[in-house]
Amino acid sequence: MELGMIGIGRMGANMAQRLLRAGHKVVGYARTASTVEQRVKEGAISSGATSLEDVVKQLNSSPRILWLMVPAASVDDTIAQLLPHLSEGDILVDGGNSNYQDDIRRAAELEKHKIHYVDCGTSGGVWGLERGYCQMIGGEDEIVKYLDPIFKTLAPGVGAIDRTPGRPENKGTAEEGYLHCGPHGAGHFVKMVHNGIEYGVMAAYAEGLNILHNANIGKNTHMVDAETAPVQSPEHYQYDMDLPEISELWRRGSVISSWLLDLTAQSFQENPTLSNFSGRVADSGEGRWTIKAAIDEGVPAHVLSAALYDRFESRGQAEFANKVLSAMRFQFGGHHER
Amino acid sequence: MELGMIGIGRMGANMAQRLLRAGHKVVGYARTASTVEQRVKEGAISSGATSLEDVVKQLNSSPRILWLMVPAASVDDTIAQLLPHLSEGDILVDGGNSNYQDDIRRAAELEKHKIHYVDCGTSGGVWGLERGYCQMIGGEDEIVKYLDPIFKTLAPGVGAIDRTPGRPENKGTAEEGYLHCGPHGAGHFVKMVHNGIEYGVMAAYAEGLNILHNANIGKNTHMVDAETAPVQSPEHYQYDMDLPEISELWRRGSVISSWLLDLTAQSFQENPTLSNFSGRVADSGEGRWTIKAAIDEGVPAHVLSAALYDRFESRGQAEFANKVLSAMRFQFGGHHER
Amino acid sequence: MELGMIGIGRMGANMAQRLLRAGHKVVGYARTASTVEQRVKEGAISSGATSLEDVVKQLNSSPRILWLMVPAASVDDTIAQLLPHLSEGDILVDGGNSNYQDDIRRAAELEKHKIHYVDCGTSGGVWGLERGYCQMIGGEDEIVKYLDPIFKTLAPGVGAIDRTPGRPENKGTAEEGYLHCGPHGAGHFVKMVHNGIEYGVMAAYAEGLNILHNANIGKNTHMVDAETAPVQSPEHYQYDMDLPEISELWRRGSVISSWLLDLTAQSFQENPTLSNFSGRVADSGEGRWTIKAAIDEGVPAHVLSAALYDRFESRGQAEFANKVLSAMRFQFGGHHER
Amino acid sequence: MELGMIGIGRMGANMAQRLLRAGHKVVGYARTASTVEQRVKEGAISSGATSLEDVVKQLNSSPRILWLMVPAASVDDTIAQLLPHLSEGDILVDGGNSNYQDDIRRAAELEKHKIHYVDCGTSGGVWGLERGYCQMIGGEDEIVKYLDPIFKTLAPGVGAIDRTPGRPENKGTAEEGYLHCGPHGAGHFVKMVHNGIEYGVMAAYAEGLNILHNANIGKNTHMVDAETAPVQSPEHYQYDMDLPEISELWRRGSVISSWLLDLTAQSFQENPTLSNFSGRVADSGEGRWTIKAAIDEGVPAHVLSAALYDRFESRGQAEFANKVLSAMRFQFGGHHER
């Protein structure tokens, strides 16, 4: 098939390349001309466009397919600029990290112009070019079906991963790594929760590894005063744990083997103390939206929230709260901070 | 009555003074001779002792009462040094912050020597001299009854606080601010949970005030990129909240009025930005033991645990966990820390 | 002054009565005619109205003051019905539990009609008639000033509560229990966070009391099998704690004394086992909005979130999540549920 | 090699069988004679023993190896009964789920008898027979080295899982799925944290799936009253998510692919609504110990604790806390439970 890829940064360029390799035609566009030139040189796109209008013009098939890989905050602007150049029946795919509520709104607006909108949450990161992209898709049935060759190409396919026992072969595309999840917004909703889970899983490993990292705390000598409880049983915390080897160990045969653990083992392989990181952890929106959805639904999300808040705390956002605590302690007990 | 106060730091000296004012006799001892001298000068104790043996010798009544106000980690040592000088029937009161499990062990050991042991969790901090001390007491019935004049003197009494409607006048000492909670350890158990609750209540105020403190975040301009979600609705976060006035406001008529809030208002009165604090918050043992008790009992303690962990985090103890998160993000998405 | 009170349920009627007692005139309206009649009979309102139009007609002063005490979900409707009957300069006060974001929107809409809007978060519950209402106010400076006599009457006043040491006498209204917190929405924002804190404080007491409640768990005999860890040290959990007395005890001299604790002691006085409650805990919106605000601001709220989620869980909302856990355990370990 | 397997329930029998298949000799023992007979019939063990003494007698090699697969609560008893029949230099391996602190104590006690002790945390569950067991080992260097053929046989081996890029081939046994983690207790310490992480990872999936499960909550009609906030935007929660397909989807190409997710997909394949589970989730000790270790070390564990507490809550252990909340709400607001 033929599509326009709008946004050919790291992620978009890799997706374009995976499509190219499978014989699709991809017209690429980025705001910076030099990026476009470079992607052409790399062979990541079939051709480069000089403007959004130019992307549309270079697409011959009808309906046209325009795949957006731009920051969530730029999607509305990009659509507004594209709209005058589109024709009835054309298809816009938002493959970025939009909030699903924006999808619902946009689809309704675009419907007035008879433009179809598809939301496609995409997981896979920098590994997707080789590993394939897990795609969570929302939109109209026949439009999603029409785009199937694109999704199938980008998806990982069944590959080397065991099929789930008892699952009928013809049950659908999920086992190839892409799925039409429901109407507009359903794709980004599932992707949102996916990322929410990701935060939680990551935090579980991180907390556990931190406990192992501090398993030698009994070797330190602690002051004995009225303010600080002594380590209750220092003899129980005398272990110098080898985290690179332990994270490697768990990759095989353990209940907690996972791709994130594979990556953790690789990180420790590259730097056994992780001294190349400072520990300020970003969050990119989906974790926040997941918690808001949980709250709207009235379902508990202790773990996913804690994972999100720990990222806020890693960036110093609890500082004022902590000052309040110190102030209270000073007032009632005369406790001074160390 | 007559008692020996072992440990006359800030807290012990105030308690001695409150006893003295009510006509009790208090022999005071501290490891540092100059402290003893100072307390005599201040009129905080009836007389000073030069050694633990000297404390015992200066007590004429039988049984003798020895009240320990020493760090939890020093209690066992102090008892061991006292023991040779005591007589059958003498009473040891641990008024500090011991773990209740140590009380159970100590009481059993001392019973072999026919020495009585009483654990007395004491709340009141630097305010107790004037306000009185809330006392949570564990031990044998008749021994606790024998000590009643001491407890009553130290306690706040009913005072200006409304009696609980419907409560019979003769129901017991709880409304005077002291209570025999049960057998050995029961006092420190109740004090432990008291402090666990204290951590949770403090954290609730601190988090809420932090949310108010950041209510102007929409005034900042945020970068738009693929990594960071923009503030979703900056127009909703344009408030410069006056925390000194708001904490004052809530003191009257609101559901969350409390003594801790009174102290918070006072802190803001003294320094409206709390710039005199850095936000490294200590924890002194009871919060930890509370969580361990919850776990042993198999009851959830989401809030109290979170309050404890936030103190750990305020001291940088999540750093390694955060590095693990950054390492994972770099591996799967090529994300670099800012 | 003179005002129309729209919504004279329990809360609105009490507020009307407090205003009446101080000499203000209150025209009351409720959708159910019998409610209006009853309030007139009780002497809770100066006069009753038969419709929203009738309320407006009965108010002679200019500008008119209309105070809404209706469910958050009915505010927009009520305003829409009132609007045709109002004149330029009239003042609408929303004294209910609206989301502050709705305040911002409504104030902007009403400004087009030259109607002033004031948001007033009100704490005090069923106790407010006697105790006074803590009021958190948002809106235009001169309008809030104009309403001052109303706010002052509803507020608790300094009363018997100690003034914060060092606070200048003329510093403002906060110590009387009402405060102009900022522009439109600021009042409900502060009330929202107030309730978020309330959830956290309540949960801290509830968790702590639950730990005390289970302090006798070592008396039970537990099965020894591969699935269930035995209670590690049953000898440490042999206490039958008297919660009515302990909650009474903490009211005086302890760090955690508070109005919520007073109420807890009273609940235990009325029913020592709380067997009159089932433990399904409602939440009324502000707790949810507080967490959403924390997330928008990017500040951690471990404790306040946990308190909210525990309410969701008390209503069975974790059930499906728990089934997923059981399903996983069955898959990897053949574990069957009990 | 030759060893005695004490405890041949599901787990122990599978391990014995895996050893047998590789040519080792396994003498099996269980308290119930019929179990021993059945294991012999199944060919899971080389021979059966009628008593602990008989196990020891049937082992000819020196030192003898005795591998315990009994409930944690029975290990001390079993060791006490075995001890009289052992000779200097014999080796006891605890392959069950002991607390690492018990390992430290036991190793010290057994050292007096010149018996060697090895702790081996074992992950793999009912899948281990085919998949191999991930083994986390603590003990003396030369003893662990001596047992290497046993560990290697039980371990999964490198198998089909990609080697970690850059890891030297000869770096050690971790990539075969077993590791000598450190001195006595180190094995069970690592296994403990492994299980703590497992709880957290499981909870992350469970919470996320629960949010998806409730994504249709906007289809319900909600009452509008003062107590319950209406669903803020029902139009955003109209999705009927197909969890069997979504859990299948994430298995390929997504960041959260894992073995636990594979098992989840299989559970949904077997029962798409998980109606065969009630949602009462057991916990078997390691999760609790992990939190206690975190607390002793002073490191935060928000996520792992939340996961543990959610299990407690699934079994109704928050009930009394919730009653306290309802009681407070009734007191301050006259709120009745539904």
Side-chain angles (χ1 to χ4, degrees), chain A residues 126-127 198 210 227 232 264 267 270 277-279 284 292 310 313 317 322-323 328 331-332 337, chain B residues 126-127 198 210 227 232 264 267 270 277-279 284 292 310 313 317 322-323 328 331-332 337:
Chain A
V126 293
W127 298 72
E198 175 190 308
N210 197 19
E227 294 271 314
Q232 272 195 280
T264 305
S267 292
E270 294 169 6
F277 296 100
S278 70
S284 57
K292 289 183 170 186
D310 282 342
E313 291 196 29
Q317 292 294 86
N322 293 330
K323 288 183 172 189
M328 286 181 178
Q331 287 293 341
F332 69 68
E337 289 182 328
Chain B
V126 293
W127 297 72
E198 176 190 309
N210 197 18
E227 294 272 313
Q232 271 195 281
T264 305
S267 293
E270 293 170 7
F277 297 100
S278 71
S284 57
K292 288 183 171 186
D310 283 343
E313 291 196 28
Q317 292 293 85
N322 293 331
K323 287 182 173 190
M328 285 180 178
Q331 287 293 339
F332 69 68
E337 290 182 327

Side-chain angles (χ1 to χ4, degrees), chain C residues 10 71 73-74 99 124-127 198 202-203 205-207 209-210 213-214 217 224-230 232 243 259-260 263-264 266-268 270 273-285 288-289 292 302 310-311 313-314 317-335 337-338, chain D residues 10 71 73-74 99 124-127 198 202-203 205-207 209-210 213-214 217 224-230 232 243 259-260 263-264 266-268 270 273-285 288-289 292 302 310-311 313-314 317-335 337-338:
Chain C
R10 190 181 46 212
S74 308
N99 186 312
V126 294
W127 298 72
E198 175 190 310
M202 289 172 71
Y205 287 116
E207 285 186 3
L209 291 166
N210 196 19
H213 179 67
N214 285 278
I217 201 163
V224 171
D225 60 37
E227 293 273 313
T228 313
Q232 271 195 281
L243 298 191
W259 191 56
L260 280 164
L263 300 179
T264 305
Q266 186 162 342
S267 293
F268 279 119
E270 294 171 6
T273 62
L274 305 183
S275 60
N276 47 334
F277 297 100
S278 70
R280 288 179 69 84
V281 191
D283 78 282
S284 57
R288 299 181 181 202
W289 304 332
K292 288 183 172 187
H302 285 290
D310 282 342
R311 295 193 176 192
E313 290 195 31
S314 80
Q317 292 293 86
E319 189 191 11
F320 187 77
N322 293 332
K323 288 183 173 188
V324 171
L325 296 178
S326 286
M328 286 181 179
R329 294 187 83 243
F330 177 74
Q331 287 293 341
F332 70 69
H335 303 287
E337 288 181 327
R338 314 258 146 145
Chain D
R10 189 180 48 212
S74 308
N99 186 312
V126 294
W127 298 72
E198 176 190 308
M202 289 172 70
Y205 287 116
E207 287 186 5
L209 290 166
N210 197 19
H213 179 68
N214 285 278
I217 201 164
V224 171
D225 61 35
E227 293 273 313
T228 312
Q232 271 196 280
L243 298 191
W259 192 56
L260 280 164
L263 300 179
T264 305
Q266 185 163 342
S267 292
F268 279 119
E270 293 170 6
T273 62
L274 305 183
S275 60
N276 47 334
F277 297 99
S278 70
R280 287 180 71 84
V281 191
D283 79 281
S284 56
R288 300 181 181 203
W289 304 333
K292 288 183 171 187
H302 284 290
D310 282 343
R311 294 193 176 192
E313 291 196 29
S314 80
Q317 293 293 86
E319 188 190 12
F320 187 78
N322 293 331
K323 288 182 173 189
V324 171
L325 296 178
S326 286
M328 286 181 178
R329 295 187 82 241
F330 177 75
Q331 287 293 341
F332 69 69
H335 303 287
E337 288 181 328
R338 313 261 146 142

